[in-house]
């Protein structure tokens, strides 16, 4: 096979994902057609359900927030060439850390102190859950994919034990803690906007969304502007060259995994401090895994991750609307659409790379020719 | 299998050339790597292609082998226009290629590697038998024997390359392309490669040889094409030309094939090894009882057949590998088994390191040139003083290096992988020399580098020496060692055979010492 010419960066970041998405939607359209429904009206319902109906945008952005955190947790590890499958466990532990802070401090201290500490607690517990597999990989050579998966199971069991025992709410049967006092609750966006005189429909969207946007910017600065980011990328691309350059490779891997765990841990702020207002079981609900696909689709870049998170948020929200409006389209259909998008944007992300690269190269060559003549 | 029947097209007189390239052009982005290149190569000829780094030699060969597609132009094989769009097309057209970087599976045997891709049936047994027979016939035919059951990783580079050649010709290739095959070979290995090529030529195989060593062009080729800046600047019959003319054609100016240098003015001892030893993980000794001193303003050359401990010596001296016994004194720091060091500390102590393998250690191929230009120095002032890396400072630094060391193209945003081999090397050398190290550890500084750049690099090393740097130079090129060193240490099997002053060294004494035979050396 002739090696395809390299794809320009802009095409890799923007054109390719759009092509993948269109293909995924096209195939889903065919399936909907086969079910006897009109794909166009299904699409309209999805878009309306995700962005237009009152409150829908809030729901979409609320889901988006979860994806941003879990996808960043995958992305930072990926820059160090580590495959972090442990988002679920790291997020669960983050929930524990943030939850403990709120249970302990919210009764006595104001939100302005409790919430920042809860954020730190969630990040710290998540980080700790990322550091262990990082350490085992860097110093002991245990494969990170295996250990992070195992740590998901350990985290799940730990949470079952804690919520069913030591942390169980008095006189309760379901495995959950007591509710956080108001000082341990993230302000809702519609309340905040209402305070500014902007009326919006109530939705679970809370201040964590703003936190997610800040973290996106911070991620970009970290990876592309700081010396630590340079070290992480060097280790990811060429560990031998990193060693040559005086970079401590194991330490860098451990630090990257700590940051990854911390980012995943922040997802719990949106779910628990933002909506549930208590620590519950299984609040991670697969976001840690879907985050892998979001990171892949977003090319491990904050802008890409934001867009991909928004897309998945819209799918989650618009998907439930589909389920609601159409007889023959069930919840499973929505899962299928998500699956298609993950398949084409994640697993088959580079399927259309060679033809697209050739096409762009040909156009560029023609232009150059024209200039030289 | 190399078939012996004569092609009808080539029988009789006036037969068409085995390969003809017509007006081949290829552009990468804004770089015009090949501009309307034409050449014709007769059947059974050994044809050399020479040119500066980045002249477009590899690009042209990759087009001929179907790895790149030309923007325009035709390839004719035996007078027939033959479109080649993939390496499968090339193999079908009887073309085989040996790449500069080997493509073998290190923990497979020779036999398994040769069989790879042509296993034949679902069961391996018949294929194994056939391959064994093939290795035997090829071995006899071309005098290139290799043990079919040896693991690739245990073989010296020269034999690994033989396996690559066998893979290239096993399908009956009548045209063999070799891209810088001698870059990694010792003179002895290169000689046996040439013997094989001469045998193939007798057999009617057409060979295209890319090399930067003009002595090899003179020794083995029949005809030669010189490329400069993507264009053909001359075709010559080897018998009618000489290295000086070729060098001038390549570079466009006269080139000193040997750099002048004054006598050394040695100062204080900056680097000292004292009973230095190191072992492999399994306890096998890699370096044994190494003793030397290097003074400021002096170059110590390390001569030896590749794989006799030079790599390990470079690794120990640069902090990549721990000292297992004895000690190393770098300026006033002592390194032993207990008081370890690492590459970061060595760098802080102003020890520069030009690594042997630029792809493995020297560069991050995926990084832009400007990021590669600060590799190892990302915490120093070249990336600015602030908490964040100063992008402008980093780019400016890279541009400075590119200007001073003539790295082409001078584009700080081009990724490392898209520079030609020689320009990658110049970038690494520029980065290390620019920091004015007190001690410089150098491994194979001119591997794959064109003669103009060799002249330049040699001048830089001499200048650094004259400014008072202590330099340790490892090279498998005896000529380079003899041309630059003030004293020469010869290594064999991880031991030092002796140290001789440059005036008393010549190729013959060094050759004997490299074989482990201790001369009547002093010092
Ligand atoms: N994939 C690519 N993308 C962009 N530019 C490229 C690419 N491959 C090669 N080039 C450029 O094309 C030119 C020719 O490169 P080529 O590798 O053919 O040089 P060369 O003659 O083989 O040099 P060397 O002797 O150093 O190996 C160089 O300027 C190089 O930077
Ligand atoms: Mg080349």
């Amino acid at each position: 096979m002739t090696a395809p010419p390299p794809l320009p960066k802009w095409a890799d970041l923007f054109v390719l994902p759009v092509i993948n998405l269109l293909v995924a939607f096209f195939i889903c359209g065919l399936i909907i057609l086969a079910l006897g429904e009109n794909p166009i009206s299904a699409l309209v319902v999805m878009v309306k359900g995700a962005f237009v109906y009152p409150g829908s945008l809030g729901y979409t952005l609320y889901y988006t927030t979860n994806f941003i955190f879990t996808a960043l947790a995958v992305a930072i590890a990926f820059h160090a060439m580590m495959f972090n499958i442990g988002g679920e466990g790291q997020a669960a532990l983050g929930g524990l850390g943030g939850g403990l802070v709120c249970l302990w401090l919210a009764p006595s201290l104001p939100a302005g102190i409790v919430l920042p500490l809860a954020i730190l607690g969630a990040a710290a517990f998540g980080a700790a859950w990322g550091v262990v597999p990082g350490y085992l990989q860097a110093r002991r050579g245990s494969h990170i994919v295996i250990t992070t998966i195992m740590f998901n199971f350990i985290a799940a069991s730990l949470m079952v034990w804690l919520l069913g025992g030591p942390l169980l709410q008095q006189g309760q049967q379901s495995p959950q803690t007591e509710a956080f006092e108001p000082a341990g609750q993230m302000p809702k966006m519609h309340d905040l906007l209402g305070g500014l005189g902007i009326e919006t429909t109530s939705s679970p969207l809370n201040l964590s969304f703003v936190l997610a946007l800040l973290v996106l910017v911070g991620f970009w600065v970290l990876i592309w502007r700081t010396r630590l980011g340079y070290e992480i990328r060097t280790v990811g691309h060429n560990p031998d060259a990193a060693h040559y350059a005086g970079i401590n490779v194991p330490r860098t891997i451990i630090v990257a995994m700590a940051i990854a765990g911390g980012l995943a841990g922040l997802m719990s702020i949106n779910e628990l401090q933002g909506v549930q207002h208590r620590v519950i079981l299984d609040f991670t609900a697969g976001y840690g895994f879907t985050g892998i696909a979001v990171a892949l689709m977003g090319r491990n870049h904050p802008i890409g991750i934001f867009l991909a998170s928004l897309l998945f948020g819209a799918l989650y929200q618009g998907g439930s609307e589909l389920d609601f409006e159409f007889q023959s389209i069930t919840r499973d259909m929505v899962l299928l659409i998500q699956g298609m998008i993950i398949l084409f944007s994640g697993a088959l992300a580079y399927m259309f790379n060679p033809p697209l690269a050739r096409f762009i190269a040909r156009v560029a060559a023609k232009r150059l020719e024209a200039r030289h003549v | 299998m190399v078939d012996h029947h004569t092609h009808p097209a080539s029988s009789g007189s006036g037969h068409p050339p085995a390969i003809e390239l017509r007006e081949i052009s290829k552009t990468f982005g804004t770089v015009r790597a090949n501009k309307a290149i034409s050449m014709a190569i007769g059947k059974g000829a050994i044809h050399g292609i020479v040119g500066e780094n980045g002249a477009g030699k590899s690009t042209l060969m990759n087009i001929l082998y179907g790895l790149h597609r030309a923007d325009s132009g035709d390839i004719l094989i035996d007078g027939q226009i033959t479109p080649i769009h993939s390496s499968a097309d090339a193999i079908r057209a009887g073309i085989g290629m040996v790449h500069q970087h080997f493509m073998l599976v290190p923990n497979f045997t020779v036999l398994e590697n040769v069989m790879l891709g042509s296993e034949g049936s679902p069961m391996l047994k018949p294929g194994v038998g056939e391959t064994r027979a093939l290795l035997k016939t090829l071995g006899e035919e071309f005098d290139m024997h290799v043990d079919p059951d040896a693991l690739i990783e245990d073989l010296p580079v020269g034999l690994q390359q033989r396996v690559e050649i066998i893979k290239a010709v096993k399908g009956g290739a009548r045209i063999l392309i070799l891209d810088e095959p001698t870059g990694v070979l010792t003179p002895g290995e290169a000689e046996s490669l040439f013997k094989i090529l001469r045998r193939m030529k007798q057999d009617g195989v057409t060979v295209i040889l890319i090399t930067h060593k003009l002595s090899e062009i003179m020794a083995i080729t029949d005809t030669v094409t010189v490329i400069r800046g993507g264009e053909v600047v001359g075709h010559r019959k080897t018998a009618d030309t000489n290295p000086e003319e070729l060098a001038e054609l390549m570079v466009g100016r006269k080139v000193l094939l040997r750099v002048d240098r004054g006598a050394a003015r040695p100062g204080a001892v900056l680097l000292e090894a004292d009973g230095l030893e190191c072992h492999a993980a399994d306890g096998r000794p890699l370096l044994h009882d190494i003793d030397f001193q290097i003074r400021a303003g002096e170059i110590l050359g390390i001569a030896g057949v590749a794989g006799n401990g030079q790599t390990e010596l470079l690794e120990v001296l640069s902090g990549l590998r721990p000292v297992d016994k004895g000690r190393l004194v770098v300026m006033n720091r002592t390194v032993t088994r207990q008081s370890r060091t690492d590459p970061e500390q060595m760098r802080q102590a102003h020890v520069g390191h030009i690594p042997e393998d630029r792809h493995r250690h020297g560069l991050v191929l995926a990084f832009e040139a400007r990021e590669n230009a600060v590799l190892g120095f990302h915490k120093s002032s070249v990336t600015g003083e602030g908490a964040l890396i100063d992008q402008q400072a980093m780019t400016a630094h890279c541009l400075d290096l590119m200007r001073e060391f003539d790295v082409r193209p001078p584009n700080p945003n081009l990724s490392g992988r898209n520079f030609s081999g020689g320009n990658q090397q110049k970038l690494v050398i520029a980065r290390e020399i620019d920091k004015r190290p007190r001690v410089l550890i150098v491994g194979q500084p001119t591997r794959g580098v064109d003669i103009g750049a060799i002249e330049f690099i040699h001048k830089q090393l001499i200048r650094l020496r004259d400014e008072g740097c202590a330099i340790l130079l490892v090279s498998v090129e005896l000529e380079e060692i003899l041309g630059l060193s003030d004293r020469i240490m010869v290594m064999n099997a991880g031991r030092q055979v002796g140290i001789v002053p440059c005036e008393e060294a010549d190729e013959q004494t060094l050759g004997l010492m490299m074989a482990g035979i201790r001369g009547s050396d002093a010092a």
Side-chain angles (χ1 to χ4, degrees):
Chain A
M1 223 16 228
T2 315
L7 197 61
K9 221 170 172 175
W10 55 268
D12 180 40
L13 287 180
F14 297 104
V15 183
L16 202 53
V18 169
I19 293 181
N20 290 332
L21 209 59
L22 290 178
V23 173
F25 273 127
F26 179 71
I27 292 179
C28 292
L30 290 183
I31 296 171
I32 291 174
L33 206 59
L35 290 176
E37 301 285 352
N38 181 346
I40 303 291
S41 51
L43 185 66
V44 170
V45 166
M46 279 254 286
V47 171
K48 279 190 177 162
F51 298 106
V52 180
Y53 295 148
S56 61
L57 183 63
Y59 270 94
T60 297
L61 293 180
Y62 151 72
Y63 293 127
T64 302
T65 307
N66 282 343
F67 289 123
I68 290 175
F69 286 125
T70 53
L72 287 177
V74 175
I76 186 141
F78 196 80
H79 280 287
M81 225 29 120
M82 296 285 116
F83 219 170
N84 178 20
I85 315 284
E88 287 284 305
Q90 291 149 12
L93 263 284
L96 178 65
L100 288 177
V101 169
C102 289
L103 291 172
W104 176 41
L105 297 178
S108 51
L109 290 171
I113 296 176
V114 176
L115 288 176
L117 288 177
I119 290 171
L120 285 182
F125 272 55
W129 215 244
V131 158
V132 183
Y135 170 84
L136 290 173
Q137 168 79 58
R139 306 266 182 205
R140 294 284 175 267
S142 321
H143 203 287
I144 195 104
V145 169
I146 310 291
T147 47
T148 47
I149 290 176
M150 296 199 309
F151 265 63
N152 287 337
F153 288 110
I154 300 174
S157 313
L158 184 69
M159 293 302 276
V160 168
W161 174 66
L162 283 174
L163 294 180
L167 294 179
L168 184 67
Q169 186 184 7
Q170 295 286 308
Q172 257 288 350
Q173 290 306 307
S174 57
Q176 57 184 33
T177 65
E178 277 173 49
F180 304 153
E181 296 292 321
Q185 301 179 2
M186 266 307 209
K188 287 268 166 28
M189 287 305 270
H190 63 93
D191 292 335
L192 290 173
L193 291 174
L196 296 173
I198 307 169
E199 280 313 313
T200 46
T201 322
S202 156
S203 74
L205 186 63
N206 61 79
L207 204 53
S208 309
F209 177 64
V210 178
L211 179 66
L213 296 183
L214 292 177
V215 169
L216 279 171
V217 177
F219 182 92
W220 181 83
V221 172
L222 172 72
I223 291 293
W224 279 283
R225 287 296 179 268
T226 67
R227 295 184 172 80
L228 175 62
Y230 181 89
E231 295 186 349
I232 290 176
R233 287 183 296 127
T234 306
V235 168
H237 285 299
N238 185 346
D240 285 326
H243 184 40
Y244 159 85
I247 295 168
N248 185 329
V249 176
R251 192 178 62 203
T252 308
I253 289 175
I254 294 169
V255 169
M257 281 306 293
I259 300 174
L263 288 168
L266 289 183
M267 181 224 131
S268 69
I269 298 291
N270 188 42
E271 259 324 296
L272 302 184
Q273 277 75 7
V275 179
Q276 305 292 341
H277 300 155
R278 50 166 35 110
V279 184
I280 60 166
L281 210 54
D282 291 334
F283 69 88
T284 55
Y287 286 107
F289 291 126
T290 314
I292 300 170
V294 177
L296 266 172
M297 186 172 184
R299 296 290 187 276
N300 302 301
H301 189 285
I303 295 178
I305 286 178
F306 175 75
L307 294 175
S309 299
L310 189 62
L311 173 75
F312 273 80
L315 274 178
Y316 260 48
Q317 173 55 21
S320 37
E321 208 63 38
L322 261 191
D323 175 18
F324 193 71
E325 294 243 339
F326 291 89
Q327 275 281 295
S328 48
I329 301 181
T330 58
R331 185 77 210 152
D332 302 324
M333 185 62 220
V334 177
L335 287 179
L336 182 73
I337 296 180
Q338 280 170 16
M340 281 293 162
I341 290 180
I342 292 176
L343 182 69
F344 281 94
S345 316
L348 305 178
Y350 287 94
M351 189 165 69
F352 297 105
N353 186 341
L356 179 65
R358 288 214 184 86
F359 175 75
I360 290 174
R362 213 171 308 136
V363 172
K366 282 236 174 71
R367 267 205 217 142
L368 197 77
E369 203 89 317
R371 225 184 307 145
H372 280 286
V373 168
Chain B
M1 183 88 46
V2 178
D3 56 349
H4 288 269
H5 70 86
T6 326
H7 293 274
S10 60
S11 56
S13 58
H15 43 237
I19 310 164
E20 189 179 343
L21 302 178
R22 283 194 192 150
E23 309 266 317
I24 300 278
S25 294
K26 174 78 187 172
T27 306
F28 294 110
T30 55
V31 179
R32 304 188 76 196
N34 287 167
K35 299 176 206 165
I37 293 193
S38 300
M39 67 178 70
I41 303 166
K43 183 171 178 334
I46 299 184
H47 183 83
I49 297 183
V50 294
E52 288 183 287
N53 295 127
K57 306 177 296 290
S58 297
T59 303
L60 186 66
M61 291 305 111
N62 286 337
I63 289 171
L64 180 54
Y65 193 60
L67 297 175
H68 286 322
R69 195 182 285 197
D71 300 335
S72 61
D74 290 315
I75 298 170
L76 284 76
I77 306 291
D78 292 328
Q80 305 285 323
I81 290 193
T82 314
I84 295 180
H85 296 316
S86 67
S87 48
D89 286 349
I91 292 167
R92 229 172 288 128
I95 303 173
M97 181 157 176
V98 177
H99 296 271
Q100 189 177 358
H101 299 279
F102 298 160
M103 306 196 173
L104 299 170
V105 186
N107 54 358
F108 271 21
T109 63
V110 169
L111 189 110
E112 287 166 331
N113 267 287
V114 171
M115 201 164 61
L116 203 64
S118 53
E119 296 86 354
S121 57
M123 297 306 286
L124 285 181
K125 197 135 193 275
V128 168
E130 269 170 38
T131 312
R132 216 173 265 284
L134 173 76
L135 280 169
K136 195 156 178 291
T137 35
L138 282 179
E140 275 156 16
E141 203 167 17
F142 298 123
D143 214 358
M144 51 176 178
H145 298 277
V146 255
D147 173 7
D149 301 309
L151 283 183
I152 291 293
E153 58 197 358
D154 296 339
L155 292 180
V157 195
L159 287 183
Q160 291 187 14
Q161 186 178 58
R162 224 173 250 193
V163 179
E164 282 281 14
I165 296 176
I166 291 171
K167 285 188 63 175
V169 299
K170 72 172 176 190
R174 306 297 298 161
I175 296 165
L176 182 62
I177 305 169
L178 299 135
D179 191 353
E180 292 186 41
T182 57
V184 290
L185 299 188
T186 62
E189 286 173 332
E191 202 34 63
S192 45
L193 168 67
F194 292 158
K195 246 171 91 199
I196 292 170
L197 295 186
R198 288 199 189 96
R199 284 291 289 265
M200 293 192 157
K201 171 189 157 82
Q202 281 172 9
D203 225 68
V205 176
T206 307
V207 176
I208 303 182
L209 175 73
I210 298 181
T211 176
H212 286 295
K213 297 175 193 164
L214 296 177
S215 56
E216 294 174 357
I217 293 287
M218 299 312 294
I220 187 165
T221 62
D222 302 304
T223 47
V224 52
T225 298
V226 185
I227 300 181
R228 182 164 81 225
E231 280 174 298
V232 172
V233 289
H235 298 291
R236 292 286 184 278
K237 276 210 164 67
T238 309
D240 301 341
T241 186
N242 55 52
E244 285 74 20
E245 186 196 17
L246 291 177
E248 204 175 328
L249 275 174
M250 276 167 67
V251 185
R253 62 172 169 86
K254 284 225 178 314
V255 183
L256 285 178
L257 295 180
R258 191 152 177 175
V259 175
D260 297 320
R261 66 192 165 105
R265 288 186 309 276
V269 174
L270 295 187
L271 184 66
E272 181 177 356
D274 184 5
L276 199 65
E277 287 190 16
C278 78
H279 312 176
D282 59 8
R284 197 161 35 92
L286 296 171
L287 285 179
H288 201 82
D289 216 6
I290 305 285
D291 289 292
F292 61 80
Q293 293 186 334
I294 311 179
R295 294 174 177 276
E298 185 188 43
I299 298 181
L300 176 71
I302 310 288
V305 176
N308 275 282
Q310 298 97 315
T311 301
E312 290 76 14
L313 183 62
L314 289 169
E315 287 176 352
V316 171
L317 295 180
S318 57
L320 285 167
R321 182 186 275 280
V323 172
D324 285 322
K325 200 168 159 215
R327 64 192 187 117
L328 185 67
V329 186
V330 187
M331 280 158 287
N332 40 26
R333 249 194 83 99
T334 304
V335 179
T336 60
R337 190 186 163 85
Q338 284 77 32
S339 65
R340 293 163 158 269
T341 186
D342 60 39
E344 190 179 9
Q345 288 178 357
M346 290 305 246
R347 243 167 242 279
Q348 278 162 0
H350 299 283
V351 179
H353 178 199
I354 296 169
E356 248 185 334
D357 186 338
R358 57 179 168 256
H359 286 177
R360 179 158 169 231
H361 287 123
L363 293 168
V364 179
L365 290 175
F367 275 8
E368 293 177 2
R370 64 203 193 103
E371 293 174 299
N372 272 305
V374 299
L375 188 69
F377 301 96
H378 64 285
K379 287 181 183 161
S380 78
S381 60
V382 290
T383 56
E385 307 289 347
L388 302 183
I389 292 180
D390 181 340
Q391 301 296 309
Q392 258 127 35
M394 187 161 79
T395 305
H397 169 67
C398 183
L399 273 172
D400 282 346
L401 296 185
M402 289 178 143
R403 206 171 303 122
E404 198 185 339
F405 285 77
D406 189 29
V407 178
R408 279 177 269 177
N411 175 0
N413 300 107
L414 193 65
S415 67
R417 117 164 2 101
N418 291 342
F419 286 88
S420 74
N423 282 298
Q424 291 173 343
Q425 182 71 1
K426 281 196 267 182
L427 189 61
V428 173
I429 290 182
R431 178 182 72 210
E432 298 300 313
I433 289 188
D434 174 69
K435 309 301 176 301
R436 294 282 165 266
R438 303 282 314 278
V439 174
L440 184 63
I441 317 285
V442 189
Q444 320 291 359
T446 56
R447 182 177 275 177
V449 171
D450 69 51
I451 45 168
I454 291 179
E455 178 196 23
F456 180 78
I457 290 169
H458 284 179
K459 277 185 180 160
Q460 294 293 325
L461 289 176
I462 296 287
R463 186 181 62 141
L464 206 61
R465 175 197 79 159
D466 291 342
E467 289 171 6
C469 181
I471 300 178
L472 178 128
L473 167 72
V474 168
S475 174
V476 290
E477 304 290 336
L478 266 188
E479 228 172 292
E480 181 161 77
I481 293 282
L482 284 165
L484 292 177
S485 316
D486 299 305
R487 288 181 302 134
I488 299 168
M489 176 171 119
V490 181
M491 290 186 69
N492 178 280
R495 294 167 183 271
Q496 71 186 77
V497 184
I499 297 182
V500 285
C502 183
E503 309 78 62
E504 292 170 25
D506 55 44
E507 302 219 357
Q508 206 165 1
T509 34
L510 292 183
L512 281 175
M513 289 171 78
M514 278 159 64
I517 300 162
R518 206 173 289 257
S520 56
D521 57 292

